[in-house]
Amino acid sequence: MGNNTVSDSTEKTTTEERVTITLTNYPIPVAEDEREIGLEALEDAISQLLGVNIASADITARVGHHYVQIGNDCPRCGGLLELRQYTYCDNGAVAEANCAHAPKCEWRGRAIYRMIDLESGPVADVESAVANGDMTPSYHSY
């Protein structure tokens, strides 16, 4: 069954996962229209190389560093989370979290914070240490 298809309604031979490919020193054109053409060509090449039909919405090429973010909604019911009792740890903080829809929803846990950038300058003209190249972020798997 090596064709990566579903064999029946309960057993899958593939899973949906996120794959990140990082290219360092990849020559990206400065002109925005040329950059977009180059990035689209890269997306097409990856799709063809893998030999699978990847929808254009499922593969994205981006330039520069990026950060991840999740919402402040409850993972169980979608209600807003209440955060309290922040504690500094390692490269960020941990806060106690619980769903604001208690007692209907009893979800409790911790919100994990990590420093993703350092910004300086006046509020109207903030400068990012990562975007300016003063700091390089590291990337870690969950």
Side-chain angles (χ1 to χ4, degrees):
M1 260 228 175
N3 63 0
N4 293 335
T5 60
V6 177
S7 61
D8 64 30
S9 62
T10 59
E11 182 183 335
K12 290 184 179 183
T13 59
T14 62
T15 60
E16 291 186 33
E17 296 288 338
R18 175 176 299 275
V19 175
T20 302
I21 300 170
T22 302
L23 300 175
T24 305
N25 298 323
Y26 183 73
I28 301 292
V30 174
E32 188 172 340
D33 56 341
E34 291 179 22
R35 182 180 329 135
E36 287 302 315
I37 291 169
L39 293 177
E40 287 174 9
L42 181 60
E43 292 170 3
D44 292 342
I46 291 171
S47 179
Q48 290 174 7
L49 180 67
L50 294 176
V52 294
N53 185 15
I54 299 175
S56 61
D58 291 338
I59 185 167
T60 305
R62 295 186 179 126
V63 176
H65 297 291
H66 299 284
Y67 63 90
V68 298
Q69 176 177 308
I70 60 172
N72 62 341
D73 49 335
C74 174
R76 185 176 293 159
C77 77
L80 288 178
L81 293 177
E82 295 176 344
L83 303 176
R84 44 180 72 87
Q85 298 179 350
Y86 292 86
T87 305
Y88 175 78
C89 63
D90 295 329
N91 183 14
V94 175
E96 295 302 316
N98 64 284
C99 182
H101 285 144
K104 288 179 15 181
C105 180
E106 296 292 327
W107 188 89
R108 293 181 179 278
R110 290 184 307 271
I112 301 168
Y113 291 84
R114 294 288 180 251
M115 291 195 304
I116 60 169
D117 199 356
L118 296 176
E119 296 178 338
S120 62
V123 176
D125 192 27
V126 174
E127 292 187 15
S128 160
V130 173
N132 288 344
D134 298 331
M135 298 183 82
T136 302
S138 58
Y139 298 87
H140 306 275
S141 298
Y142 280 85

